[in-house]
């Protein structure tokens, strides 16, 4: 339907332009002694030739020759076409108004003077050719640009979908590692963890298929995840979080913060030292600020837990989802790894 509307609009604009061009000479001649034949010969007939030149190029020559790099054939074809119409145009002028195009030669005889008018005709008959090339090239550029943007959108959507599918198994893998570590130590706690994990997986399966989710639901999800993670740690690990209770809900990309939270648990906990992890989020209008501060215990190269895709995934998603609308930074300060993320949504 949109395609049909666009086609009809283009046809309408073309008709409107040619109607104006054909009407203008007649309107200017109104009230003068100039005969209607003059308007026909000097305006309407040349304009009819302009129309033929314009649309012959618009529908045939430009697509077949110019856009296929057959420039010489394009120029020769137009030279023949323009020369043919100039010849016919001058024959018509001489037939109807031969007495207008005269000058006196040495013998005192009068004969038509053609050269000046032929030069003018060449100039005028080239104008529709130039406009046809300009219009067709512009239309092609617009079409190409639209197709490029559509292809880019499809590519981005596919890439985002891939990142989302990559994130969910990654999250599930980390959670299973946590449950595995509890099975021998505390079977009852492992059962509770599996039950909590089922709730989280339900959210992953049924509420993250849309482009945007409720920020309140996302906060509830990461809160449940943090509580799930707290089950596996001893009192040596201090975990705090401060998330807002929203009065007006906002929409964000799903699973946007989980990679950062997973990363904090992965690199911020030690089995032999006291550790601290602090999560904080604040909302001001449409701006979300999220920060994490945790002790820094980098994994060795031999430790492949979590596959190391969390932060890479996060940065890529931010670039795709919030280009120019996010600030993301990480730093190590006094043994703490600090993450700051700000979003404009």
């Amino acid at each position: 339907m949109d395609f049909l509307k666009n086609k009809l609009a283009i046809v309408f604009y073309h008709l409107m332009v040619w109607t104006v061009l054909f009407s203008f000479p007649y309107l200017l001649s109104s009230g003068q002694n100039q005969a209607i034949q003059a308007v026909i010969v000097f305006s309407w007939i040349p304009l009819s030739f302009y129309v033929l030149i314009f649309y012959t190029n618009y529908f045939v020559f430009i697509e077949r020759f110019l856009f296929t790099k057959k420039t010489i054939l394009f120029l020769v074809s137009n030279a023949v076409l323009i020369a043919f119409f100039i010849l016919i145009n001058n024959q018509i002028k001489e037939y109807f108004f031969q007495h207008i195009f005269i000058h006196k030669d040495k013998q005192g005889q009068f004969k038509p003077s053609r050269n000046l008018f032929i030069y003018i005709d060449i100039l005028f008959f080239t104008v529709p050719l130039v406009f046809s090339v300009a219009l067709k090239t512009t239309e092609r550029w617009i079409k190409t640009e639209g197709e490029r943007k559509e292809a880019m959108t499809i590519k981005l959507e596919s890439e985002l979908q891939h990142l989302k599918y990559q994130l969910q198994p990654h999250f599930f893998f980390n959670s299973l590692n946590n449950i595995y570590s509890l099975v021998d130590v505390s079977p009852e706690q492992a059962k509770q963890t599996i039950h909590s994990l089922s709730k989280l997986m339900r959210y992953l399966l049924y509420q993250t298929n849309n482009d945007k989710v409720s920020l309140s639901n996302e906060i509830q999800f990461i809160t449940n995840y943090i509580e799930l993670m707290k089950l596996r740690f001893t009192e040596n690990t201090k975990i705090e979080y401060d998330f807002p209770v929203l009065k007006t809900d906002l929409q964000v990309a799903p699973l946007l913060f989980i990679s950062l939270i997973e990363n904090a648990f992965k690199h911020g906990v030690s089995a032999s030292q006291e550790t601290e992890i602090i999560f904080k989020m604040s909302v001001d209008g449409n701006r979300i600020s999220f920060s994490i501060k945790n002790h820094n215990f980098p994994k060795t190269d031999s430790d492949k837990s979590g596959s190391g895709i969390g932060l890479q995934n996060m940065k890529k998603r931010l670039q795709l989802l919030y280009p120019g609308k996010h600030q993301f930074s990480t730093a190590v300060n006094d043994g703490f790894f600090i993450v700051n993320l700000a979003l404009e949504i």
Side-chain angles (χ1 to χ4, degrees), residues 106-234:
K106 294 180 180 179
Q107 288 76 28
Q109 296 176 344
F110 293 92
K111 59 177 63 175
S113 176
R114 300 180 180 178
N115 291 342
L116 176 62
F117 292 98
I118 290 176
Y119 295 146
I120 294 175
D121 280 346
I122 291 174
L123 177 63
F124 285 168
F125 277 72
T126 305
V127 171
L129 166 62
V130 173
F131 273 100
S132 183
V133 172
L135 180 61
K136 195 70 174 180
T137 303
T138 302
E139 289 180 355
R140 190 189 194 200
W141 178 84
I142 293 174
K143 181 182 178 181
T144 303
E145 188 68 11
E147 291 174 347
R148 186 190 67 81
K149 289 181 178 179
E150 184 178 2
M152 182 64 69
T153 300
I154 294 173
K155 178 178 178 294
L156 291 178
E157 289 176 351
S158 299
E159 193 168 356
L160 283 170
Q161 195 66 26
H162 171 72
L163 290 171
K164 186 187 294 185
Y165 289 151
Q166 185 185 46
L167 179 62
Q168 293 184 10
H170 174 61
F171 163 80
F172 194 55
F173 175 80
N174 284 350
S175 300
L176 287 177
N177 277 345
N178 298 337
I179 295 171
Y180 178 80
S181 65
L182 291 173
V183 169
D184 293 330
V185 178
S186 177
E188 192 62 34
Q189 196 173 37
K191 291 181 181 179
Q192 183 180 351
T193 303
I194 293 173
H195 181 67
S196 299
L197 177 61
S198 68
K199 293 181 179 179
L200 296 177
M201 293 306 296
R202 188 177 295 111
Y203 176 80
L204 290 175
L205 291 173
Y206 300 114
Q207 298 191 41
T208 62
N209 293 326
N210 297 323
D211 294 335
K212 297 290 180 67
V213 297
S214 164
L215 179 58
S216 296
N217 291 341
E218 192 74 5
I219 290 174
Q220 185 62 52
F221 170 74
I222 60 178
T223 300
N224 292 340
Y225 178 74
I226 293 171
E227 289 295 330
L228 175 64
M229 296 296 291
K230 287 170 68 174
L231 295 175
R232 64 170 291 198
F233 298 122
T234 65

Side-chain angles (χ1 to χ4, degrees), residues 280-293:
K280 185 176 182 179
M281 180 187 292
S282 62
V283 177
D284 183 12
N286 291 329
R287 183 179 178 84
I288 301 174
S289 299
F290 183 64
S291 64
I292 301 176
K293 180 180 179 182

Side-chain angles (χ1 to χ4, degrees), residues 19-65:
T19 300
V20 171
L21 290 176
F22 274 88
S23 301
F24 198 62
Y26 179 77
L27 295 175
L28 287 179
S29 67
S30 298
Q32 300 181 15
N33 294 326
Q34 187 175 4
I36 188 64
Q37 288 88 346
V39 175
I40 295 174
V41 172
F42 288 104
S43 297
W44 288 353
I45 291 178
L47 278 172
S48 299
F49 293 152
Y50 297 164
V51 171
L52 293 173
I53 293 172
F54 181 91
Y55 287 110
T56 301
N57 278 276
Y58 186 83
F59 290 114
V60 182
F61 289 170
I62 296 175
E63 288 282 357
R64 186 170 297 179
F65 302 141

